[in-house]
């Protein structure tokens, strides 16, 4: 791994990353009047949203909550199908291949659209050429947590402690090659630690090892860590957002703790490139309107997801920003499959 | 927690669980679970995944009671196909095929099914009681199990699988290593590198267990039957004797049930391979304790009673990390966590205090559900056994059909159906040459867990292998493995291993 390019990418490119998404999330809170349900269906047939992960996961929950609301807005049935496998890549391959006569969307995320095409030699799709961004759904944050037995209460103390105990500098992440993995690398770099990043098979085994004291530090999504933090089983020392989060105001940001790092992730809908532009627009407008609906927003927040309302043009912009910030980080990490 | 608390909590729980609504959903879950357990290939993960969206409309307690019912109901049902047609639907019922199916072939399917159901009931009751009495401390204990301990446990499990085999030791080892090699296929958990995937996306998550098991057991068994003379195929139906076990059979099975329950309760706490190991461990223990181990693999009742109790006890205690900490220990629990979140309940340590009705209601409903299952299953034994009289030409195509549906629904992947067929051919070939598929499957299940924990333990220990003997629990597990290995190898070396001559 090349040290200095990563650090540069980290500090230059990522300072301020995520601020844009966060501001959109904030804007989504200012409710506009929702479009009334139209009488005639806006689509020629049922709409299918393909999710690359198991039911009940964040991506699936977002798609299903949205589907419920879209059904009334579009006037057609909206189905959610789970096509699991290869970290979501199989779902992208499936959606890429559908014809122009089918109404199929992909529930996409940074793993599918940004990281996988960079680290794998052949993912079987081109994130830019094969898909049209439709609309954002949600954003999510990352956090750094320590097990209850780790004798530190602040992020800066953690860094000092890890420097004093270099053999303990193991950062657990929910999956190898995930955004938390790269974020953990960046944190280690920026803090000047020789940290090992250890990939788990999901947040559950990582939390188990963190609680049992098998690993001292975890970098994971905030929603998977916060219930255990609130119960006092582990301690979140910092979040990766650009400002303190309204849903967790007591948690300091990394910026406050002296590291100029900001990162977040998103869930968004994508259409296959074959879908006619007019149809993409119809769906995009319906999704944006749905995401502005306070009732739906409340449902998202109740399951610890932050709704984001953005037009298709705004979505394209947000995705481009995200890509330009993360691509150098992923590339300079030297990580390849 | 004082006794008074448990009783008042259980009273609260039964208040919830005995409402007509809870009873109804518990019954639906138990019935559905039994059904999908019986159908080869369709497991609880697929079913719960498919039903999850429907549960959004239900009240949370009802939804979770039903989903839990599907899960443990499946453990009951899974033994039925394992015994009757030698087809394990789940990793945890692989061992049940060893003696259960032999019993069925000897016309003792009724005995095997009844003991499996009663053993499961005893185990289910005990497991539920354990959750109620000591859930949170047990969850804490399970966390003390680090990567080094996991690795040593997996080593022990693999050694134990040699003990289970009744053929040549060399062939068992060969099968274990073959299983380990198949388990290598997929994404490297540490580096993300693709291993032996040949650019096929479906292979990046490894070979599907269901495709492998359906092929090696289901399809291979059918091929073998087709291979033999036609008179052999109807053997199952003709010799069925009593449906109800005699008291002597139950007496014989009881100690095995209790041992299996104990082992299963402990191993079920461990996330990942816990439940699978439980049934294998129970079988090994029974075979080692038996006065005449040569009966095993030829229809020993303890070989059904032990593992069946163990897998059901493990199914119950595997709820503990999920219920007390919100950390799912397997794919089914992960789906249930998803169901909770969608219902607006944040899974975690606070469920017990914030939603005691839900927590204790679920615990109580598990006991109710286990009672329902035994009531449902015992009278159905007659029906299941009579299923064996269905002519071969009708039953076996049906099994193949269900296998294909089951394999397909798992990931909506046709490639996996093709793989199941290929493994069927492979299994047939292995059978012809006297290789047993069970050690292969165990190597396949435990291999990836073993590798992951070996590498993780080594990384935590800065590459020093002393960690495996430095940690007391790990050292004990490895010591048992070594002793077991010596016990297995000694007779083989002296050419006295009784089964060697049977070959």
């Amino acid at each position: 791994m090349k040290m200095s390019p990563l650090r540069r990418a980290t500090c230059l490119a990522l300072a301020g990353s995520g601020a844009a998404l966060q501001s959109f999330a904030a804007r989504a809170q200012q409710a506009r009047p929702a479009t009334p349900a139209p009488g005639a269906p806006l689509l020629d047939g049922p709409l299918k949203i393909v999710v690359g992960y198991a039911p009940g996961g964040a991506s699936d929950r977002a798609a299903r909550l949205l589907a419920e609301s879209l059904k009334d807005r579009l006037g057609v049935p909206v189905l959610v199908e789970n096509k699991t496998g290869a970290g979501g890549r199989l779902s992208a391959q499936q959606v890429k291949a559908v014809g122009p006569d089918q109404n199929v969307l992909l529930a996409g995320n940074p793993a599918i659209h940004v990281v996988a095409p960079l680290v794998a030699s052949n993912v079987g799709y081109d994130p830019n050429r094969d898909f049209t961004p439709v609309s954002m759904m949600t954003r999510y944050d990352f956090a750094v947590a320590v097990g209850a037995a780790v004798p530190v209460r602040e992020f800066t103390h953690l860094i000092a402690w890890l420097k004093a105990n270099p053999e303990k500098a193991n950062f657990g992440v929910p999956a190898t090659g995930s955004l938390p993995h790269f974020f953990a690398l960046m944190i280690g770099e920026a803090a000047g630690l020789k940290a090992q990043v250890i990939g788990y098979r999901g947040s559950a085994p990582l939390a188990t090892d963190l609680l049992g004291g098998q690993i001292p530090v975890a970098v994971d999504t905030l929603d998977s860590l916060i219930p255990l933090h609130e119960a006092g089983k582990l301690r979140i020392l910092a979040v990766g957002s650009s400002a303190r989060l309204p849903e967790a105001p007591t948690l300091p940001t990394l910026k406050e703790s002296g590291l100029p790092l900001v990162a977040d992730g998103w869930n968004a809908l994508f259409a296959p490139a074959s879908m006619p532009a007019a149809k993409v627009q119809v769906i995009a407008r319906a999704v944006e309107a749905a995401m502005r609906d306070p009732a739906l927003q409340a449902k998202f927040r109740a399951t610890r997801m932050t709704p984001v309302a953005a037009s298709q043009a705004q979505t394209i912009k947000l995705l481009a920003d995200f890509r330009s910030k993360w691509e150098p980080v992923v590339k300079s990490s030297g990580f390849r499959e | 927690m004082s006794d008074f608390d448990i009783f008042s909590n259980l009273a609260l729980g039964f208040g919830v669980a005995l409402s007509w609504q809870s009873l109804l959903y518990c019954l639906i879950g138990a019935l559905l679970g039994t059904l999908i357990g019986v159908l080869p290939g369709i497991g609880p993960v697929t079913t719960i995944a498919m039903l999850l969206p429907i549960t959004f409309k239900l009240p949370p307690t009802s939804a979770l009671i039903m989903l839990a019912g599907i899960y443990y109901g499946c453990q009951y049902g899974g033994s039925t196909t394992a015994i009757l047609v030698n087809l394990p639907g789940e990793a945890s019922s692989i061992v049940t095929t060893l003696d259960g199916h032999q019993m069925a072939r000897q016309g003792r399917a009724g005995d095997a099914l009844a003991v499996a159901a009663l053993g499961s009931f005893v185990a289910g009751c005990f497991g539920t009681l354990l959750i109620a009495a000591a859930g949170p401390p047990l969850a804490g204990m399970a966390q003390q199990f680090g990567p080094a301990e996991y690795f040593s446990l997996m080593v022990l499990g693999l050694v134990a699988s040699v003990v289970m085999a009744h053929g040549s030791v060399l062939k068992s080892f060969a099968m274990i290593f073959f299983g380990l090699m198949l388990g290598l296929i997929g994404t490297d958990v540490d580096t993300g590198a693709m291993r032996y995937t040949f650019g096929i996306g479906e292979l990046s998550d490894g070979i599907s267990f269901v495709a492998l098991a359906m092929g090696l057991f289901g399809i291979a068994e059918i091929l073998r039957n087709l291979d033999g003379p036609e008179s052999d195929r109807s053997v199952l139906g003709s010799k069925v004797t009593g449906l109800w076990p005699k008291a002597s059979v139950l007496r014989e099975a009881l100690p095995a049930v209790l041992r299996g329950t104990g082992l299963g309760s402990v191993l079920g706490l461990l996330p990942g391979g816990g439940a699978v190991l439980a049934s294998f461990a129970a079988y090994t223990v029974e075979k080692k304790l038996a006065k005449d181990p040569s009966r095993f693999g030829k229809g020993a009742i303890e070989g059904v009673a032990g593992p069946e109790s163990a897998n059901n006890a493990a199914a119950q205690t595997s709820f503990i990390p999920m219920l007390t900490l919100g950390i799912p220990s397997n794919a089914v629990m992960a789906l249930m966590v998803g169901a909770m979140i969608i219902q607006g309940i944040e899974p975690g340590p606070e469920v017990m205090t914030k939603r005691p009705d839900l927590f204790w209601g679920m615990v109580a409903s598990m006991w109710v559900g286990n009672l329902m299952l035994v009531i449902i299953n015992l009278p159905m034994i007659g029906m299941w056994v009579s299923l064996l009289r269905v002519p071969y030409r009708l039953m076996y195509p049906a099994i193949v059909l269900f296998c294909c549906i089951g394999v397909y629904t798992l990931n909506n992947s046709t490639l996996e159906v093709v793989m199941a067929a290929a493994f069927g051919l492979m299994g047939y070939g292995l059978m012809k040459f006297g290789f047993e598929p069970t050690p292969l499957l165990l190597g396949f299940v435990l291999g990836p867990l073993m590798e992951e924990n070996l590498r993780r333990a080594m990384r935590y220990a800065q590459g020093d292998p002393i960690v495996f003997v430095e940690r007391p629990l790990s050292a004990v597990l490895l010591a048992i493995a070594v002793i077991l290995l010596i016990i297995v190898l000694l007779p083989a070396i002296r050419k006295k291993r009784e089964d060697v001559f049977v070959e």
Side-chain angles (χ1 to χ4, degrees), chain A:
Chain A
M1 192 169 62
K2 286 163 276 171
M3 295 298 218
S4 61
L6 174 61
R7 173 175 289 198
R8 206 165 350 129
T10 298
C11 296
L12 294 178
L14 274 146
S17 151
L21 257 179
Q22 216 174 341
S23 74
F24 269 96
R27 221 174 294 166
Q29 278 173 305
Q30 306 155 7
R32 279 191 211 161
T35 21
L42 297 180
L43 283 184
D44 51 358
L47 176 68
K48 184 165 83 178
I49 302 174
V50 178
V51 173
Y53 309 91
S59 189
D60 177 75
R61 293 194 318 261
R64 284 183 198 278
L65 280 176
L66 181 62
E68 194 71 5
S69 171
L70 275 185
K71 186 180 69 188
D72 299 330
R73 287 168 197 281
L74 293 170
V76 294
V78 182
L79 316 163
V80 173
E81 183 184 296
N82 302 85
K83 171 73 185 174
T84 57
R89 292 174 208 177
L90 295 187
S91 64
Q93 290 170 11
Q94 180 181 323
V95 174
K96 170 199 165 184
V98 303
D101 54 329
Q102 281 173 284
N103 301 330
V104 180
L105 298 178
L106 172 69
N109 60 31
I112 296 173
H113 289 273
V114 182
V115 179
L118 287 175
V119 301
S121 49
N122 182 19
V123 287
Y125 58 85
D126 182 315
N128 298 315
R129 226 179 40 225
D130 294 332
F131 300 98
T132 316
V134 177
S135 182
M136 281 285 166
M137 291 192 287
T138 61
R139 59 174 292 279
Y140 53 89
D141 290 288
F142 302 114
V144 183
V146 294
V150 176
V152 296
R153 306 213 152 254
E154 278 172 41
F155 184 78
T156 45
H157 296 169
L158 173 69
I159 301 301
W161 184 74
L162 290 176
K163 280 181 177 161
N165 303 279
E167 78 285 355
K168 296 209 169 79
N170 295 321
F171 286 10
V173 295
T176 299
S178 62
L179 280 192
H181 177 159
F182 295 108
F183 199 42
L185 284 177
M186 294 184 328
I187 292 169
E189 283 284 327
L193 287 170
K194 279 208 164 107
Q196 291 197 88
V197 175
I198 295 177
Y200 278 78
R201 290 190 200 272
S203 295
L206 172 58
T208 305
D209 268 13
L210 193 67
L211 262 54
Q214 313 294 343
I215 190 164
V217 190
V219 180
D220 201 347
T221 55
L222 181 66
D223 66 316
S224 47
L225 292 169
I226 205 160
L228 292 161
H229 169 82
E230 284 171 354
K233 302 277 176 185
L234 53 77
R235 276 193 299 280
I236 295 176
L237 300 182
V239 288
S241 50
S242 59
R244 289 205 181 202
L245 295 163
E247 64 268 30
T250 55
L251 299 177
T253 62
L254 276 175
K255 270 184 13 193
E256 287 173 57
S257 313
L259 286 192
L261 297 178
V262 176
D264 60 2
W266 43 265
N267 287 297
L269 290 175
F270 292 80
S274 63
M275 190 184 278
K279 194 181 269 182
V280 174
Q281 271 304 321
V282 168
I283 300 172
R285 275 196 294 270
V287 174
E288 189 193 352
M291 294 311 302
R292 287 196 195 287
D293 173 9
L296 185 65
Q297 287 182 6
K299 283 187 194 166
F300 271 100
R301 287 182 206 284
T303 70
R304 285 206 194 276
M305 290 188 286
T306 312
V308 179
S311 68
Q312 196 203 9
Q314 288 163 332
T315 302
I316 291 170
K317 171 87 171 61
L318 287 169
L319 292 175
D321 287 352
F322 184 90
R323 197 184 300 275
S324 67
K325 279 161 196 161
W326 281 90
E327 262 182 7
V329 176
V330 175
K331 279 184 181 158
S332 62
S333 74
F335 179 82
R336 293 287 297 170
E337 273 183 1

Side-chain angles (χ1 to χ4, degrees), chain B residues 170-496:
Chain B
L170 188 65
K171 282 181 177 173
S172 301
F173 271 117
M175 284 293 94
I176 289 177
F177 282 109
F178 190 33
L180 289 175
M181 282 158 69
L182 289 178
L184 287 176
I185 295 170
T187 312
D188 182 318
V189 69
D190 252 356
T191 66
M194 294 291 163
R195 299 192 297 207
Y196 311 106
T197 57
F198 305 103
I200 299 167
E202 276 93 342
L203 283 181
S204 64
D205 294 326
I207 290 172
S208 146
F209 168 79
V210 176
L212 184 63
M214 291 304 118
L216 282 181
F217 283 82
I219 295 170
E221 174 79 10
I222 289 167
L223 288 175
R224 197 182 60 119
N225 273 302
L226 287 173
D227 191 29
E230 209 173 330
S231 55
D232 273 9
R233 291 174 209 158
S234 50
V235 140
L236 283 178
S238 58
K239 289 198 298 189
V240 173
T241 51
L243 292 183
W244 295 94
K246 294 193 195 75
S248 62
V249 174
L250 291 179
R251 249 198 317 278
E252 229 179 316
L254 184 67
V257 166
L258 297 180
R259 282 189 292 262
T261 301
L263 262 174
S265 302
V266 174
L267 290 172
L269 290 169
L270 303 176
V276 185
L277 273 176
S279 59
F280 282 93
Y283 190 89
T284 311
V285 166
E286 292 313 318
K287 191 171 176 181
K288 277 290 134 200
L289 287 180
K291 288 198 189 84
D292 176 17
S294 66
R295 289 187 300 116
F296 281 77
K298 293 172 196 153
I301 189 75
E302 303 98 303
V304 176
E308 273 303 309
S309 313
N311 73 28
N312 218 53
Q316 298 296 340
T317 54
S318 65
F319 276 93
I320 288 179
M322 196 271 280
L323 283 173
T324 59
L325 292 169
I327 301 176
S329 55
N330 57 40
V332 173
M333 294 299 139
L335 289 171
M336 292 192 58
V337 163
M340 279 177 144
I341 298 174
I342 287 168
Q343 293 278 2
I345 301 159
E346 192 155 76
E350 292 183 329
V351 171
M352 266 176 99
T353 44
K354 280 188 184 160
R355 294 295 304 267
D357 56 320
L358 179 88
F359 180 89
W360 293 103
M362 252 184 99
V363 172
S365 88
M366 286 183 198
W367 189 83
V368 175
N370 272 287
L371 185 66
M372 281 180 181
L373 279 166
V374 83
I375 295 172
I376 297 167
N377 275 281
L378 284 180
M380 285 218 295
I381 288 173
M383 194 189 94
W384 294 131
V385 171
S386 60
L387 205 66
L388 290 178
R389 298 201 179 88
V390 172
Y392 186 86
R393 63 176 197 282
L394 296 177
M395 183 154 88
Y396 283 67
I399 294 177
V400 174
L401 178 71
F402 280 121
C403 281
C404 291
I405 294 174
V407 172
Y408 181 76
T409 50
L410 211 61
N411 287 319
N412 298 342
S413 159
T414 43
L415 180 77
E416 288 183 3
V417 181
V418 175
M419 274 161 55
F423 287 127
L425 285 175
M426 189 180 91
Y428 174 72
L430 291 175
M431 244 183 237
K432 279 278 162 191
F433 290 105
F435 290 94
E436 289 169 82
T438 317
L440 189 160
L441 222 46
L442 193 61
F444 174 77
V445 172
L446 299 186
L449 290 167
M450 191 163 109
E451 183 206 347
E452 191 179 328
N453 285 293
L454 168 71
R455 294 170 69 174
R456 202 169 287 153
M458 294 288 277
R459 286 185 77 176
Y460 290 169
Q462 315 284 308
D464 190 352
I466 197 89
V467 66
F468 296 106
V469 287
E470 220 172 37
R471 298 179 64 121
L473 194 53
S474 166
V476 169
L477 289 168
L478 281 181
I480 300 174
V482 171
I483 293 168
L484 206 56
L485 196 62
I486 292 170
I487 295 175
V488 177
L489 288 178
L490 271 186
I493 292 163
R494 289 194 214 127
K495 293 276 175 208
K496 271 188 187 165

Side-chain angles (χ1 to χ4, degrees), chain A residues 55-56 60 64 82, chain B residues 25 28-33 36 43-58 63 66-71 335 339 342-343:
Chain A
D60 177 75
R64 284 183 198 278
N82 302 85
Chain B
Y25 283 107
I28 294 174
L31 276 176
L32 254 174
I36 57 157
V45 180
T46 320
T47 313
I48 293 180
M50 286 192 291
L51 286 180
L52 205 61
I54 299 171
T55 66
F56 301 166
K57 313 271 183 234
L58 300 177
M66 183 176 84
L67 294 177
I70 293 174
Y71 178 56
L335 289 171
I342 287 168
Q343 293 278 2

